[in-house]
């Protein structure tokens, strides 16, 4: 029913989403070979056109400097030959992933003779709303193409010239393939209104995936009428149980906190069993302070380690993504689980224990996308799980939960074969 | 993070959703036996308390008559001993369904020795917004309980007294079981504002399932910030191909149109191959007119059968749910598929043909939850598919598509077991 929407006066968003929707049926019928050939052409074209992409990127950087964009953001936007080669390599890795489209998930026959098959099909048209990093433009386009989906990309305006040139290059490559170039659409309108429009594009977009910071994701979740796959936010905990091995516990907590503090699967709060704390908290605190991690403790923690500042009520619900760590001493497993229930975001939670029964209870009772026993929460990641792609980590319970592999970009349909059956 | 929301001044919706959320963790850990025992107690209690339920129902009917409620709506609300026995029987059938909770969907080990298991878990708290029929109150409560979910029910005010008494009876039954009575919550506030509040209850409700007419469902889809499973709308087509067997084609189309015109999987538009139409359309039209079906045709159809009125542009996009049928003559398979792409709602679509290649193309190229070859679209139904329960028919592509069985009320989580692994 797109016809009613398709008019010459339609906005850029509606026009491009309509083109994507028109391309979608053909995409869904492409063979794995046809899609892989296009991915290879895209990867080669990005490398061959590095110079023009870097030139466009330089324009983004120039404007960013004029507008006083932070150097850390400029660094995320910046492209060079190595980065472009890395982005192209990412596309080549997608070629090697199994194509989920057409997989038969179930088949069964009914007493009336109907034969029913359930098969994987593309979602159709996926809208991706993201921030600065231009590599997302290529990653998203490649993953959507591999799964037979058309994609409407709306990247941050800070990388507009880079994204524009990248998509031109991808379109040129698709022009030499059997994949319709309309499969990849980039919204050029830098105004917030083009995002707002995408959020309400039911009938043209089948799903929206926001990729970026908390405010971007919350804007999409709160305002979209198109179904959304929510990704990102993580207030993750590590619980050192009474029977935890000290070295293992410290090693896991250190990895979860400082290996990459800025990401969603890093630790924000350390929970420590009271008897373990009496024995080890001082050493744990010294260790993190030596790593320049600011510690904010509960009253008991502060009594045990006076150098710690007292945590505020808000601290327990804050995703720092920084060298800051909350520490709370708990009486035992139940209090640890209850704290996580109250303050967690159902992303990734860890128990370090030698007590098998406690481990089993923690894994069952803690409600999160990924629950760990004696391993760092940092492993919640598509590559670490062996999915070979990074679509994002779903923090909702519908459709996909946790690290998303290619199947998260698919739907299903039932094929029903009969011989004249009617319903009685 | 419910604590912040939980205040003594909170609305009925927030208070009851909070109670449901607090009950959810216990529900998720119940054994199949504990849940089945509760379902049996619920079924028996409904039968034992039939008199008081019928009494409460009489109050709804009395008020309905005062307010001039239509007799058809009053009939849908009306309860008697037989209907209550049937509702209780529905609960007993849920006992026999396999419990999906705890099922291991995948398990694999990583090179670093991490062992990862993906298991089915409840969604958590499910909000159901529905209309008059009080049986939905029991069906939804039973299906959510079987899958370890808490449920917040918001039924139509026309059945308020019936629903209130039914939930009292269910609570009494749960009081004799190991299932917390808070697992089932009924919103009594009949004002529209209580629905609006549920739509935005992120953090307390994990998913909303609207059940009812088009306007109810669209209100939820357009205004909810909580993830929604959309159900219902269906503009379904049957295509009589050139090689279709006349008797089979007529039989399937008749079943799809008149066996139960009011439901979403019934046929609204008949597409007929031009050569088949020249031979048979007059007989097809006579047949449907004899069944008191009003026919609205394309220009070619009207030329072939002058008794037919001409269809308007809107008719092709209208879900009649009534004894009205659009008929369009098409040049062949491609035009049929394109018409369905333009006017279908991706619910259920059928081709009647003896041409295997055409059947295969139709099944692959038509994008719908269920695509049929030589069988009536009326089979798109949880019971007909053998799922043994009627949660609804998803018309969206995320999470669940088509008839939903118990697994549609579940999510998953990853259990990761290690021996001190950290990320490099």
């Amino acid at each position: 029913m797109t016809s009613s929407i398709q008019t010459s006066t339609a906005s850029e968003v509606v026009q491009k989403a309509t083109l994507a929707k028109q391309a979608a049926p053909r995409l869904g019928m492409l063979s794995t070979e046809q899609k892989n050939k296009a991915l290879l052409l895209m990867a080669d074209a990005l490398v061959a056109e590095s110079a023009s992409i870097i030139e466009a990127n330089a324009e983004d950087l120039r404007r960013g400097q004029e507008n006083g964009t932070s150097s850390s953001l400029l660094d995320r936007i910046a492209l060079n030959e190595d980065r472009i080669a890395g982005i192209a390599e990412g596309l080549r890795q997608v070629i090697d992933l199994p194509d989920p489209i057409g997989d038969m998930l179930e088949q069964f026959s009914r007493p009336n003779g109907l034969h029913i098959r359930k098969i994987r099909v593309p979602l159709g048209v996926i809208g991706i709303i993201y921030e600065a990093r231009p590599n997302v433009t290529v990653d998203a386009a490649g993953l959507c193409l591999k799964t037979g989906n058309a994609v409407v990309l709306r990247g941050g305006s800070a990388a507009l010239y880079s994204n524009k040139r990248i998509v031109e290059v991808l379109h040129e490559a698709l022009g030499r393939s059997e994949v319709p170039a309309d499969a990849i659409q980039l919204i050029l309108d830098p105004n917030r209104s083009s995002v707002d429009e995408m959020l309400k594009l039911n009938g043209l977009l089948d799903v929206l995936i926001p990729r970026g910071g908390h405010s971007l994701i919350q804007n999409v979740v709160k305002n979209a009428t198109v179904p959304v796959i929510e990704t990102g936010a993580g207030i993750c905990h590590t619980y050192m149980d009474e029977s935890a091995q000290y070295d293992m516990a410290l090693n896991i907590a250190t990895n979860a906190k400082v290996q990459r503090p800025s990401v969603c699967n890093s630790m924000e709060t350390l929970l420590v069993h009271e008897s373990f704390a009496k024995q080890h908290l001082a050493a744990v605190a010294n260790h993190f302070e030596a790593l320049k991690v600011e510690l904010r403790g509960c009253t008991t923690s502060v009594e045990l380690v006076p150098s710690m500042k007292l945590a505020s009520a808000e601290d327990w619900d804050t995703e720092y993504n920084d060298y800051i760590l909350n520490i709370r001493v708990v009486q035992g497993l139940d209090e640890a689980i209850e704290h996580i229930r109250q303050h967690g975001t159902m992303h990734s939670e860890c128990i370090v224990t030698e007590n098998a029964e406690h481990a089993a209870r923690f894994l069952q009772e803690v409600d999160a996308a990924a629950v760990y026993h004696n391993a760092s929460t940092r492993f919640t990641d598509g590559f670490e799980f062996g999915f070979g792609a990074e679509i994002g980590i779903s923090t909702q319970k519908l459709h996909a939960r946790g690290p998303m592999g290619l199947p998260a970009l698919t739907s299903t349909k039932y094929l029903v074969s009969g011989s004249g059956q009617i319903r009685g």
Side-chain angles (χ1 to χ4, degrees), chain A residues 225-262:
Chain A
T225 55
V226 174
V228 173
I229 299 179
E230 184 172 356
T231 64
I235 296 177
C236 304
H237 302 75
T238 300
Y239 169 54
M240 297 177 174
D241 196 21
E242 183 169 18
S243 66
Q245 288 184 29
Y246 176 73
D247 293 348
M248 183 193 291
L250 190 64
N251 202 20
I252 287 172
T254 304
N255 186 253
K257 180 69 252 182
V258 305
Q259 192 251 353
R260 199 174 167 198
S262 63

Side-chain angles (χ1 to χ4, degrees), chain A residues 361-420:
Chain A
R361 275 196 56 205
F362 188 90
L363 293 187
Q364 182 187 21
E365 297 182 28
V366 171
D367 183 18
V371 195
Y372 292 83
H373 172 219
N374 289 353
S376 169
T377 56
R378 287 280 296 113
F379 285 110
T380 303
D381 174 280
F383 291 99
E384 293 296 332
F385 273 45
F387 300 159
E390 186 51 57
I391 297 159
I393 297 165
S394 168
T395 51
Q396 69 184 34
K397 289 182 170 182
L398 276 192
H399 185 67
R401 194 180 194 197
M404 292 189 284
L406 290 180
L409 295 182
T410 69
S411 183
T412 61
K413 78 177 173 185
Y414 287 104
L415 310 183
V416 185
S417 302
S419 51

Side-chain angles (χ1 to χ4, degrees), chain A residues 161-373:
Chain A
Y161 286 82
S162 311
N163 290 335
K164 183 170 180 296
R165 182 56 195 153
I166 285 170
V167 171
E168 285 168 1
V169 170
L170 297 181
H171 281 165
E172 290 158 13
L174 291 184
R176 300 190 297 277
S177 80
E178 293 164 280
V179 177
D182 283 343
I184 301 172
Q185 298 290 335
L186 175 69
I187 302 303
L188 298 175
D189 177 357
N191 296 307
R192 162 73 174 270
S193 59
S194 62
V195 171
D196 298 339
E197 203 177 353
M198 282 178 73
L199 301 185
K200 313 279 187 189
L201 224 52
N202 303 65
L204 287 179
L205 299 182
D206 293 289
V207 57
L208 282 169
I209 303 177
R211 288 186 57 173
H214 182 72
S215 64
L216 180 148
I217 290 168
Q218 284 309 305
N219 174 49
V220 172
V221 169
K222 298 278 179 230
N223 298 310
T225 55
V226 174
V228 173
I229 299 179
E230 184 172 356
T231 64
I235 296 177
C236 304
H237 302 75
T238 300
Y239 169 54
M240 297 177 174
D241 196 21
E242 183 169 18
S243 66
Q245 288 184 29
Y246 176 73
D247 293 348
M248 183 193 291
L250 190 64
N251 202 20
I252 287 172
T254 304
N255 186 253
K257 180 69 252 182
V258 305
Q259 192 251 353
R260 199 174 167 198
S262 63
V263 293
C264 58
N265 55 20
S266 63
M267 169 176 65
E268 306 298 355
T269 297
L270 176 66
L271 302 170
V272 186
H273 187 284
E274 56 184 358
S275 60
F276 188 94
K278 287 196 184 74
Q279 230 186 316
H280 300 297
L281 190 60
V284 170
N286 289 340
H287 170 80
F288 277 108
E289 283 164 349
L291 292 168
K292 305 274 177 291
V293 176
E294 176 191 330
L295 302 180
R296 302 181 183 180
C298 64
T299 48
T300 312
S301 306
V302 174
E303 283 163 18
L304 291 167
V305 185
S307 64
M308 231 183 274
K309 71 179 270 194
L310 191 65
S312 72
E314 299 68 44
D315 288 338
W316 307 107
D317 294 322
T318 302
E319 182 176 11
Y320 297 118
N321 289 334
D322 200 353
Y323 284 82
I324 306 172
L325 176 66
N326 302 317
I327 298 183
R328 178 174 169 187
V329 174
V330 294
Q331 288 175 10
L333 181 61
D334 291 322
E335 196 177 342
I337 290 172
E338 184 54 31
H339 178 96
I340 291 167
R341 192 165 287 149
Q342 289 292 320
H343 303 283
T345 55
M346 303 198 295
H347 189 300
S348 300
E349 306 293 351
C350 168
I351 183 172
V352 185
T353 187
E354 295 301 304
N355 181 322
E357 187 203 318
H358 285 193
R361 275 196 56 205
F362 188 90
L363 293 187
Q364 182 187 21
E365 297 182 28
V366 171
D367 183 18
V371 195
Y372 292 83
H373 172 219

Side-chain angles (χ1 to χ4, degrees), chain A residues 56-113:
Chain A
N57 182 248
E59 177 64 14
D60 283 323
L61 297 175
R62 195 182 59 70
R63 291 170 175 253
Q65 274 143 356
E66 280 177 16
N67 309 335
T69 306
S70 73
S71 57
S72 64
L73 177 56
L74 289 175
D75 175 65
R76 264 177 289 156
I77 296 170
L79 293 174
N80 55 39
E81 296 225 334
D82 286 355
R83 284 190 176 184
I84 292 172
I87 292 169
E89 183 51 33
L91 279 180
R92 295 194 182 94
Q93 288 170 4
V94 173
I95 293 172
D96 299 331
L97 297 178
D99 180 354
I101 299 305
D103 286 356
M104 196 185 307
L105 303 179
E106 299 170 36
Q107 67 172 324
F108 49 96
S109 292
R110 301 292 303 149
N112 59 8

